[in-house]
Short mmCIF file of all heavy atoms in Angstrom, two decimals:
data_model
loop_
_atom_site.label_atom_id
_atom_site.label_comp_id
_atom_site.label_asym_id
_atom_site.label_seq_id
_atom_site.Cartn_x
_atom_site.Cartn_y
_atom_site.Cartn_z
N LYS A 350 91.40 88.64 104.90
CA LYS A 350 90.10 88.19 105.38
C LYS A 350 88.91 89.10 104.86
O LYS A 350 87.87 88.63 104.40
CB LYS A 350 90.13 87.92 106.83
CG LYS A 350 88.87 87.31 107.47
CD LYS A 350 89.26 87.03 108.88
CE LYS A 350 87.94 86.20 109.57
NZ LYS A 350 88.17 85.99 111.01
N ASN A 351 89.17 90.43 105.12
CA ASN A 351 88.10 91.35 104.75
C ASN A 351 87.95 91.36 103.18
O ASN A 351 86.91 91.50 102.79
CB ASN A 351 88.44 92.74 105.33
CG ASN A 351 88.43 92.73 106.80
OD1 ASN A 351 87.70 92.01 107.38
ND2 ASN A 351 89.13 93.79 107.38
N PHE A 352 89.03 91.31 102.55
CA PHE A 352 88.96 91.25 100.91
C PHE A 352 88.30 90.14 100.54
O PHE A 352 87.44 90.26 99.61
CB PHE A 352 90.46 91.39 100.51
CG PHE A 352 90.42 91.51 98.89
CD1 PHE A 352 90.05 92.82 98.42
CD2 PHE A 352 90.72 90.47 98.10
CE1 PHE A 352 90.00 92.94 96.99
CE2 PHE A 352 90.69 90.57 96.79
CZ PHE A 352 90.33 91.79 96.19
N LYS A 353 88.54 88.95 101.12
CA LYS A 353 87.78 87.77 100.66
C LYS A 353 86.29 87.80 100.92
O LYS A 353 85.57 87.07 100.18
CB LYS A 353 88.34 86.46 101.44
CG LYS A 353 89.68 86.05 100.94
CD LYS A 353 90.27 84.97 101.74
CE LYS A 353 91.60 84.54 101.35
NZ LYS A 353 92.19 83.50 102.14
N THR A 354 85.75 88.60 101.77
CA THR A 354 84.30 88.72 102.05
C THR A 354 83.62 89.43 100.90
O THR A 354 82.39 89.40 100.78
CB THR A 354 84.05 89.36 103.34
OG1 THR A 354 84.60 90.78 103.31
CG2 THR A 354 84.65 88.65 104.56
N ILE A 355 84.37 90.19 100.13
CA ILE A 355 83.82 90.88 99.03
C ILE A 355 83.44 89.98 97.87
O ILE A 355 84.41 89.40 97.34
CB ILE A 355 84.75 92.10 98.44
CG1 ILE A 355 85.10 93.06 99.63
CG2 ILE A 355 84.12 92.82 97.32
CD1 ILE A 355 86.16 94.07 99.27
N ALA A 356 82.29 89.87 97.53
CA ALA A 356 81.83 88.88 96.53
C ALA A 356 82.44 89.22 95.09
O ALA A 356 83.11 88.22 94.60
CB ALA A 356 80.28 88.93 96.34
N LYS A 357 82.37 90.35 94.62
CA LYS A 357 82.90 90.74 93.36
C LYS A 357 83.61 92.09 93.53
O LYS A 357 83.08 93.10 93.30
CB LYS A 357 81.82 90.85 92.31
CG LYS A 357 81.26 89.57 91.84
CD LYS A 357 80.32 89.77 90.73
CE LYS A 357 79.74 88.32 90.33
NZ LYS A 357 78.86 88.54 89.22
N PRO A 358 84.92 92.02 93.87
CA PRO A 358 85.59 93.31 94.09
C PRO A 358 85.82 94.14 92.90
O PRO A 358 86.07 93.58 91.73
CB PRO A 358 87.02 92.84 94.76
CG PRO A 358 87.12 91.46 94.25
CD PRO A 358 85.77 90.89 94.17
N THR A 359 85.73 95.41 92.94
CA THR A 359 85.89 96.39 91.93
C THR A 359 87.41 96.45 91.73
O THR A 359 88.29 96.06 92.57
CB THR A 359 85.36 97.63 92.23
OG1 THR A 359 85.98 98.31 93.27
CG2 THR A 359 83.85 97.63 92.37
N ASP A 360 87.80 97.03 90.62
CA ASP A 360 89.33 97.27 90.31
C ASP A 360 89.83 98.10 91.41
O ASP A 360 91.01 97.94 91.79
CB ASP A 360 89.41 97.94 88.86
CG ASP A 360 89.29 96.95 87.81
OD1 ASP A 360 89.19 95.64 88.10
OD2 ASP A 360 89.10 97.46 86.69
N LEU A 361 89.10 99.07 91.84
CA LEU A 361 89.51 100.22 92.90
C LEU A 361 89.77 99.37 94.17
O LEU A 361 90.78 99.52 94.85
CB LEU A 361 88.44 101.22 92.99
CG LEU A 361 88.88 102.28 93.95
CD1 LEU A 361 90.03 103.00 93.41
CD2 LEU A 361 87.71 103.39 94.05
N GLU A 362 88.83 98.50 94.53
CA GLU A 362 88.91 97.68 95.76
C GLU A 362 90.23 96.79 95.67
O GLU A 362 90.94 96.68 96.57
CB GLU A 362 87.68 96.92 96.10
CG GLU A 362 86.50 97.71 96.46
CD GLU A 362 85.18 96.97 96.50
OE1 GLU A 362 85.04 96.17 95.74
OE2 GLU A 362 84.35 97.34 97.44
N SER A 363 90.30 96.20 94.53
CA SER A 363 91.43 95.21 94.39
C SER A 363 92.84 96.00 94.44
O SER A 363 93.78 95.70 95.06
CB SER A 363 91.47 94.58 93.03
OG SER A 363 90.24 93.79 92.96
N ASP A 364 92.83 97.25 93.77
CA ASP A 364 94.08 98.12 93.79
C ASP A 364 94.34 98.50 95.20
O ASP A 364 95.47 98.47 95.70
CB ASP A 364 93.86 99.22 92.85
CG ASP A 364 93.89 98.90 91.43
OD1 ASP A 364 94.46 97.75 91.10
OD2 ASP A 364 93.56 99.76 90.66
N LYS A 365 93.27 98.84 96.02
CA LYS A 365 93.58 99.30 97.40
C LYS A 365 94.08 98.02 98.20
O LYS A 365 94.97 98.35 98.95
CB LYS A 365 92.24 99.76 97.92
CG LYS A 365 92.36 100.24 99.42
CD LYS A 365 91.05 100.75 99.96
CE LYS A 365 91.18 101.24 101.33
NZ LYS A 365 89.94 101.34 102.00
N PHE A 366 93.53 96.84 98.00
CA PHE A 366 93.96 95.76 98.79
C PHE A 366 95.42 95.47 98.43
O PHE A 366 96.19 95.33 99.36
CB PHE A 366 93.08 94.49 98.41
CG PHE A 366 93.68 93.17 98.98
CD1 PHE A 366 93.66 93.01 100.26
CD2 PHE A 366 94.23 92.32 98.10
CE1 PHE A 366 94.21 91.86 100.80
CE2 PHE A 366 94.75 91.21 98.61
CZ PHE A 366 94.74 90.77 99.88
N ILE A 367 95.86 95.45 97.31
CA ILE A 367 97.24 95.15 96.78
C ILE A 367 98.07 96.31 97.36
O ILE A 367 99.27 95.94 97.79
CB ILE A 367 97.36 95.01 95.29
CG1 ILE A 367 96.57 93.84 94.78
CG2 ILE A 367 98.78 94.99 94.89
CD1 ILE A 367 96.40 93.76 93.28
N SER A 368 97.68 97.45 97.25
CA SER A 368 98.47 98.56 97.70
C SER A 368 98.77 98.52 99.19
O SER A 368 99.96 98.67 99.71
CB SER A 368 97.79 99.87 97.41
OG SER A 368 98.57 101.00 97.62
N GLU A 369 97.80 98.14 99.96
CA GLU A 369 97.93 97.94 101.55
C GLU A 369 98.78 96.86 101.74
O GLU A 369 99.55 96.97 102.69
CB GLU A 369 96.56 97.94 102.12
CG GLU A 369 95.68 99.13 102.08
CD GLU A 369 94.25 99.00 102.56
OE1 GLU A 369 93.78 97.91 102.55
OE2 GLU A 369 93.63 99.97 102.91
N GLN A 370 98.62 95.75 101.15
CA GLN A 370 99.43 94.56 101.40
C GLN A 370 100.87 94.92 101.08
O GLN A 370 101.72 94.51 101.83
CB GLN A 370 99.11 93.39 100.49
CG GLN A 370 97.84 92.69 101.02
CD GLN A 370 97.96 91.91 102.26
OE1 GLN A 370 98.99 91.68 102.80
NE2 GLN A 370 96.92 91.44 102.83
N LEU A 371 101.29 95.55 99.95
CA LEU A 371 102.56 95.93 99.58
C LEU A 371 103.11 96.89 100.64
O LEU A 371 104.47 96.77 100.92
CB LEU A 371 102.71 96.59 98.23
CG LEU A 371 102.43 95.67 97.01
CD1 LEU A 371 102.31 96.54 95.65
CD2 LEU A 371 103.59 94.67 96.99
N GLN A 372 102.44 97.94 101.07
CA GLN A 372 102.90 98.75 102.15
C GLN A 372 103.30 98.00 103.47
O GLN A 372 104.35 98.24 103.97
CB GLN A 372 101.74 99.84 102.57
CG GLN A 372 101.64 100.87 101.48
CD GLN A 372 100.57 101.95 101.87
OE1 GLN A 372 99.66 101.51 102.51
NE2 GLN A 372 100.53 103.13 101.41
N LEU A 373 102.44 97.01 103.91
CA LEU A 373 102.75 96.23 105.03
C LEU A 373 104.04 95.37 104.77
O LEU A 373 104.90 95.23 105.64
CB LEU A 373 101.68 95.34 105.46
CG LEU A 373 100.38 96.15 106.01
CD1 LEU A 373 99.17 95.15 106.11
CD2 LEU A 373 100.73 96.70 107.26
N LYS A 374 104.25 94.85 103.52
CA LYS A 374 105.43 94.08 103.34
C LYS A 374 106.68 94.87 103.29
O LYS A 374 107.69 94.49 103.80
CB LYS A 374 105.25 93.36 101.92
CG LYS A 374 104.34 92.10 102.00
CD LYS A 374 104.47 91.40 100.62
CE LYS A 374 103.49 90.31 100.61
NZ LYS A 374 104.12 88.97 101.01
N GLN A 375 106.57 96.15 102.79
CA GLN A 375 107.70 97.06 102.79
C GLN A 375 108.07 97.48 104.29
O GLN A 375 109.20 97.55 104.58
CB GLN A 375 107.33 98.35 101.99
CG GLN A 375 107.25 98.01 100.57
CD GLN A 375 106.82 99.15 99.68
OE1 GLN A 375 106.31 100.20 100.23
NE2 GLN A 375 107.17 99.15 98.31
#
């Protein structure tokens, strides 16, 4: 939900989001 509020996420923000999601899945 927080990530979707970012209009144009940077590569760093996208990488952080993916990394956090993967950690939670693990």
Side-chain angles (χ1 to χ4, degrees):
K350 189 176 183 179
N351 291 340
F352 185 72
K353 287 179 182 179
T354 62
I355 303 170
K357 292 186 178 182
T359 65
D360 287 344
L361 186 61
E362 290 169 325
S363 297
D364 287 344
K365 182 181 177 193
F366 169 72
I367 292 169
S368 183
E369 289 171 341
Q370 286 287 354
L371 286 174
Q372 285 177 334
L373 288 171
K374 282 185 184 269
Q375 288 173 345

